[in-house]
Amino acid sequence: MKIVQLEYFCAVARLHSITQAAAELYVTQPAVSSAIKELEKEFNVSLFNRSKNHLTLTKEGELFYQKAQKLLAEYKQTLNQLHDIGRTISAVKIGIPPLLSTIFFPEMINDFHREYPDIPFELFEYGSIRAANLVHEGILDAALVNMHFYEIDKLNSIQIMQDKIVFCVSKNHPFAKKKEVTFDMIKDMPLIMYNTDSVQNETLDAIFKNSAIKPNVILHASQLYTIKSFICEECAGAFLYSSLLKKLPGVVGIPITPTIHQSIGLVWKKGSYTTDSTDKFISFVKKHTIL
């Protein structure tokens, strides 16, 4: 058994797909398939129930997954401790949703680099839910996330800022001069929603469901440039953080009634060793909160 085999197995178990796991790990699908087959052969166990496009863990696979996660977490902690003992400066791996990166970066990283010029970092764009899961699994050191998801208590967290969601349209749109909008007013409008692993989406989907409204979603997007283009061409409206408006000339943000408040924060794993580099980043963020 090799550590890399366990990493491949855990990725497939989490994503239920060899294709998606290979894409996330930047390896080939045959490499992932081979790693799983080797584990099954070595331990004489069937790890997955295989259907056409979906993989689910067998009963034995579930137990194997739990053990593999613990082993990988211990391996990473030990590796980080050895790096610190040898005074190797490890990179901080940070997850961040694309829209939040527009609010916080590159300013935050530039400020961090001025204070700690020798500490490298790696940024990974994921929605808040997926980024938080990767932190919990020890793949990422920390993540900037929308904190309104039900498993937030599984992680250490600090709140960085408060924001609210506004409904965005072109400055030439008939709604542009309205003082507020309700969900009933926009129920038939073409809409842009964020990607599916977004906390913002979960919040909005719950409101639509409670209001018995089926939204007319024409696009799921994660890049601000794409969203802005659709808005300015009056193809659709979108729900965005109010903090983004200063970066969107030609776009009007209309307050939503009732107001949808959002908390943005940093999360990192509970009960786990953190490298000196990660500790410094967490301390830096704590000192630079903008509440």
Side-chain angles (χ1 to χ4, degrees):
M1 180 182 68
K2 300 176 182 178
I3 289 295
V4 69
Q5 293 173 331
L6 295 182
E7 290 175 337
Y8 290 4
F9 162 71
C10 286
V12 175
R14 175 166 45 82
L15 298 170
H16 306 288
S17 166
I18 289 176
T19 301
Q20 292 182 39
E24 180 178 285
L25 296 164
Y26 299 102
V27 297
T28 64
Q29 293 182 41
V32 177
S33 297
S34 177
I36 292 171
K37 288 178 182 178
E38 288 171 5
L39 286 174
E40 290 180 323
K41 182 179 179 181
E42 180 176 353
F43 295 100
N44 192 28
V45 64
S46 177
L47 297 173
F48 290 101
N49 295 309
R50 294 166 170 83
S51 62
K52 186 176 180 181
N53 295 311
H54 193 76
L55 296 177
T56 57
L57 289 167
T58 62
K59 183 178 179 180
E60 295 79 10
E62 287 279 3
L63 181 59
F64 200 94
Y65 182 48
Q66 294 173 18
K67 299 293 184 182
Q69 282 185 303
K70 290 181 181 179
L71 183 57
L72 286 174
E74 290 174 4
Y75 169 76
K76 185 183 178 185
Q77 287 189 47
T78 302
L79 198 62
N80 287 337
Q81 289 170 337
L82 292 175
H83 278 307
D84 280 351
I85 290 171
R87 296 189 178 181
T88 300
I89 299 176
S90 54
V92 185
K93 296 181 179 179
I94 307 166
I96 185 167
L99 293 188
L100 290 184
S101 69
T102 306
I103 298 173
F104 290 102
F105 293 105
E107 291 88 352
M108 178 181 282
I109 287 300
N110 287 339
D111 290 343
F112 179 70
H113 259 172
R114 278 191 285 271
E115 193 164 336
Y116 300 103
D118 296 328
I119 297 179
F121 66 91
E122 297 177 41
L123 299 178
F124 299 85
E125 282 196 340
Y126 296 114
S128 293
I129 297 171
R130 188 175 181 190
N133 287 336
L134 292 175
V135 169
H136 184 67
E137 293 176 16
I139 296 171
L140 297 177
D141 297 309
L144 285 161
V145 298
N146 183 320
M147 298 176 71
H148 290 260
F149 60 95
Y150 73 96
E151 292 186 317
I152 186 69
D153 291 339
K154 290 185 177 181
L155 300 166
N156 290 316
S157 64
I158 54 171
Q159 185 176 312
I160 299 173
M161 66 175 287
Q162 288 272 12
D163 206 341
K164 62 182 179 180
I165 295 175
V166 292
F167 186 65
C168 296
V169 295
S170 163
K171 64 180 181 180
N172 298 317
H173 192 278
F175 276 24
K177 294 184 179 180
K178 290 188 178 294
K179 293 183 178 180
E180 63 181 30
V181 295
T182 65
F183 277 77
D184 192 60
M185 291 168 62
I186 59 179
K187 62 182 179 182
D188 297 320
M189 271 185 74
L191 299 176
I192 303 169
M193 296 287 278
Y194 198 45
N195 282 341
T196 53
D197 61 344
S198 161
V199 173
Q200 179 178 306
N201 263 23
E202 290 194 343
T203 300
L204 294 169
D205 285 343
I207 295 174
F208 279 123
K209 185 176 181 180
N210 291 336
S211 303
I213 295 172
K214 184 177 181 180
N216 178 22
V217 180
I218 64 168
L219 175 69
H220 285 87
S222 60
Q223 299 303 317
L224 192 59
Y225 176 81
T226 302
I227 296 172
K228 179 189 174 185
S229 296
F230 270 73
I231 292 173
C232 290
E233 292 296 327
E234 299 188 34
C235 298
F239 300 93
L240 296 172
Y241 299 113
S242 62
S243 302
L244 291 170
L245 292 176
K246 60 186 177 183
K247 299 179 182 291
L248 297 172
V251 173
V252 175
I254 310 166
I256 300 171
T257 301
T259 303
I260 306 173
H261 295 287
Q262 301 286 271
S263 298
I264 310 303
L266 183 76
V267 297
W268 65 100
K269 191 173 182 179
K270 279 186 177 180
S272 176
Y273 176 82
T274 54
T275 65
D276 182 63
S277 297
T278 303
D279 282 339
K280 284 184 169 64
F281 181 74
I282 294 169
S283 297
F284 171 84
V285 172
K286 287 179 178 179
K287 289 189 298 182
H288 293 76
T289 55
I290 53 178
L291 293 173

